[in-house]
Amino acid sequence: MSFQEEEIDYAAGDDEMGEVEEDMYFAGRLIEDSESEEEDEDEYDNLDNKITDTSAAEARKGKDIQGIPWERLSISREKYRQTRLEQYKNYENIPQSGEGSEKECKLTRKDGVYYEFWQNTRSVKSTILHFQLRNLVWSTSKHDVYLMSHYSIIHWSSLSSKKTEVLNVSGHVAPCEKHPGSLLEGFTHTQVSTLAVRDNLLIAGGFQGELICKYLDRPGVSFCMRTTYDDNAITNAIDIYGSPSGSIHFTASNNDCGVRDFDMERFQLVKHFSYPWPVNHTSLSPDGKIIAIVGDNPDGMLVDSQTGKAIAHMRGHLDFSFASAWHPNGYTFATGNQDKTCRVWDARMLSKSIAVLKGNLGAIRSIRFTSDGQFMVMAEPADFVHVYDVKNGYDKEQEIDFFGEISGVSFSPDTDCLFIGVWDRTYGSLLQYNRCRNYSYLDALI
């Protein structure tokens, strides 16, 4: 992944990301009755939230899902959409990769309706610290979502509409348990680059190779470790999984070209594999035998999870990849790339992709499958999230369209909800879509 010091300085402030147009129409305040620019921020937030939270009922009556008051702006939504499509600059490591990938892309019908808008919550401000890393939203149930908001990891309950700070990394964070290899002095002022939450375990990865592990049902932090002291140490992705023995493990992908596997029963590093290029994302196959690895190389690879040795290579992408995910069937998986495509593969026959799916604006920075295998979601850096009907061969999709950078996407484990983190100075929020169940009796038959 790209690693330039100025990007971090730029990203650390509450400002636009590298892929955002500077002259955002919505960068300024739109509250006309604000008495003072210096008014109390909480008071402003409260006022802002009253105006801009949107429910499903309000959306059905015509309110913009993000609460953007188009009638008060000098531009229509349609015109602004056109402007964004024309002006948004996709970040590429390999020039013209987006144009080069177009000829292979599958034409899809965009009339799918699989998830319907439920609510947009402005009180939960989703934020990003690195413009290429967008795995900062995780749902552990249809009522529980975890996300980054500035220097806090926040829990949002969609049931009670309450947010709770789970961990604040702006100051000093140190483990309250003792484990061999754990940094007892902890970390100060951690910049969280990636996040993963599964069951009761939360792991945050940082710009300096930090790993902070917290069990949600225990007070404090259980384990802190710096994976590497390499200059290029950023933690790009974390994948939490259950091992065949029943213990919880996680894999950390780093910019130092390393993939490390940790056993969270013993809090120990158990495997460390190295590759020829920085690793941006890994995903473990459902049977635990194969890891899909993508990074700063157009080609990806499948490796043996025990030895780290390459089994096969995926060739077709034209730029660097930042996302991967396995379908529950155990042989289908997908990769997301800065060439604006998501490629779907069959691990049994990698000579050609099953499908090449195209984004509108930019790179495909996160991918998820539903646990039942019915749907796949892919997120661009901004404005568009695509939900595909997997069982019908990716021929049809639902395109979710809004304005703002995307910090992450997550299906709830029961597939009922889709959560989307939106980063924007004015309209930062959490979007919730609920699965359409009109034909649930058909789902039961499939």
Side-chain angles (χ1 to χ4, degrees):
M1 71 147 34
S2 297
F3 190 87
Q4 297 155 354
E5 200 59 47
E6 63 267 22
E7 277 167 14
I8 297 175
D9 294 339
Y10 192 58
D14 185 18
D15 216 321
E16 255 70 37
M17 292 294 101
E19 286 173 317
V20 186
E21 284 298 312
E22 266 302 323
D23 58 340
M24 292 278 288
Y25 282 92
F26 315 126
R29 295 184 176 186
L30 294 170
I31 311 301
E32 290 172 342
D33 50 356
S34 295
E35 289 177 16
S36 159
E37 282 299 323
E38 289 82 33
E39 69 188 326
D40 178 77
E41 196 176 345
D42 289 339
E43 187 185 324
Y44 166 69
D45 275 352
N46 291 336
L47 177 64
D48 199 17
N49 290 337
K50 281 177 197 166
I51 292 170
T52 56
D53 266 17
T54 308
S55 67
E58 289 170 324
R60 281 194 292 272
K61 289 177 186 163
K63 182 178 176 181
D64 181 83
I65 62 167
Q66 292 177 276
I68 299 170
W70 294 103
E71 68 284 355
R72 278 166 41 199
L73 300 178
S74 58
I75 189 166
S76 68
R77 190 185 197 282
E78 293 69 30
K79 180 72 180 155
Y80 186 55
R81 167 54 64 223
Q82 195 55 40
T83 304
R84 288 277 280 182
L85 286 167
E86 287 165 7
Q87 294 183 0
Y88 194 91
K89 291 175 183 65
N90 179 44
Y91 186 87
E92 296 176 335
N93 286 97
I94 298 174
Q96 272 77 55
S97 62
E99 286 78 12
S101 67
E102 281 180 12
K103 59 183 180 297
E104 275 194 87
C105 289
K106 184 183 183 82
L107 283 172
T108 56
R109 286 170 48 204
K110 297 192 175 184
D111 56 347
V113 184
Y114 312 124
Y115 284 79
E116 58 191 343
F117 174 77
W118 184 250
Q119 63 178 349
N120 183 52
T121 308
R122 282 276 290 108
S123 62
V124 187
K125 307 273 190 199
S126 190
T127 53
I128 303 162
L129 271 186
H130 194 289
F131 71 97
Q132 289 172 307
L133 304 176
R134 307 301 184 90
N135 289 301
L136 297 169
V137 175
W138 294 87
S139 166
T140 55
S141 85
K142 62 180 158 193
H143 304 308
D144 299 285
V145 190
Y146 295 84
L147 51 88
M148 284 308 302
S149 185
H150 304 293
Y151 280 91
S152 292
I153 297 168
I154 298 289
H155 167 253
W156 167 255
S157 167
S158 63
L159 197 59
S160 64
S161 295
K162 285 190 179 143
K163 67 174 178 179
T164 313
E165 185 177 75
V166 176
L167 185 63
N168 189 311
V169 295
S170 63
H172 184 227
V173 174
C176 58
E177 299 173 21
K178 288 186 179 177
H179 300 286
S182 187
L183 277 179
L184 297 182
E185 69 270 26
F187 304 117
T188 303
H189 199 69
T190 310
Q191 291 183 300
V192 174
S193 50
T194 194
L195 182 70
V197 187
R198 179 172 159 175
D199 301 323
N200 257 327
L201 179 62
L202 179 154
I203 303 169
F207 275 73
Q208 306 301 320
E210 303 98 330
L211 290 171
I212 299 170
C213 306
K214 175 179 173 53
Y215 280 96
L216 298 171
D217 56 354
R218 296 187 205 170
V221 166
S222 293
F223 184 71
C224 287
M225 184 180 183
R226 183 160 266 142
T227 51
T228 173
Y229 287 88
D230 193 281
D231 287 344
N232 216 347
I234 190 165
T235 310
N236 292 328
I238 292 161
D239 185 25
I240 302 173
Y241 68 95
S243 75
S245 69
S247 65
I248 297 294
H249 282 235
F250 74 90
T251 304
S253 310
N254 281 75
N255 233 41
D256 71 343
C257 307
V259 173
R260 294 168 177 84
D261 190 84
F262 293 83
D263 179 345
M264 291 306 286
E265 193 169 41
R266 297 179 292 127
F267 294 93
Q268 287 297 294
L269 171 66
V270 287
K271 295 186 200 107
H272 178 192
F273 308 137
S274 283
Y275 297 98
W277 27 261
V279 179
N280 295 330
H281 202 270
T282 63
S283 301
L284 185 73
S285 62
D287 66 5
K289 292 179 178 173
I290 301 170
I291 307 173
I293 295 182
V294 297
D296 284 6
N297 191 296
D299 297 346
M301 62 174 92
L302 296 183
V303 306
D304 183 292
S305 65
Q306 296 306 307
T307 65
K309 297 247 183 333
I311 299 167
H313 292 266
M314 295 89 77
R315 295 190 172 95
H317 280 303
L318 303 179
D319 208 315
F320 298 170
S321 293
F322 283 82
S324 63
W326 284 86
H327 186 279
N329 67 18
Y331 55 84
T332 306
F333 66 100
T335 53
N337 192 277
Q338 290 183 159
D339 65 7
K340 296 189 188 176
T341 70
C342 165
R343 282 180 177 261
V344 184
W345 310 85
D346 185 327
R348 302 164 301 184
M349 190 189 67
L350 288 169
S351 55
K352 193 169 184 287
S353 310
I354 297 171
V356 185
L357 308 169
K358 183 77 169 171
N360 296 327
L361 281 181
I364 306 307
R365 297 219 177 271
S366 42
I367 303 168
R368 303 278 184 269
F369 285 96
T370 49
S371 58
D372 63 1
Q374 178 77 55
F375 301 110
M376 182 190 84
V377 65
M378 69 179 205
E380 299 190 42
D383 292 21
F384 292 102
V385 168
H386 308 262
V387 184
Y388 288 91
D389 182 349
V390 173
K391 297 224 171 144
N392 290 308
Y394 306 88
D395 290 330
K396 198 162 144 182
E397 65 161 297
Q398 174 181 0
E399 192 174 84
I400 298 172
D401 163 357
F402 49 90
F403 295 101
E405 295 287 301
I406 298 164
S407 65
V409 290
S410 185
F411 287 116
S412 59
D414 65 3
T415 81
D416 275 359
C417 298
L418 170 63
F419 295 96
I420 303 166
V422 182
W423 186 94
D424 180 77
R425 266 189 300 199
T426 305
Y427 291 101
S429 67
L430 182 69
L431 285 165
Q432 178 180 342
Y433 283 75
N434 286 359
R435 187 163 173 175
C436 302
R437 290 291 188 185
N438 309 356
Y439 307 108
S440 55
Y441 64 93
L442 285 177
D443 284 351
L445 296 172
I446 289 169

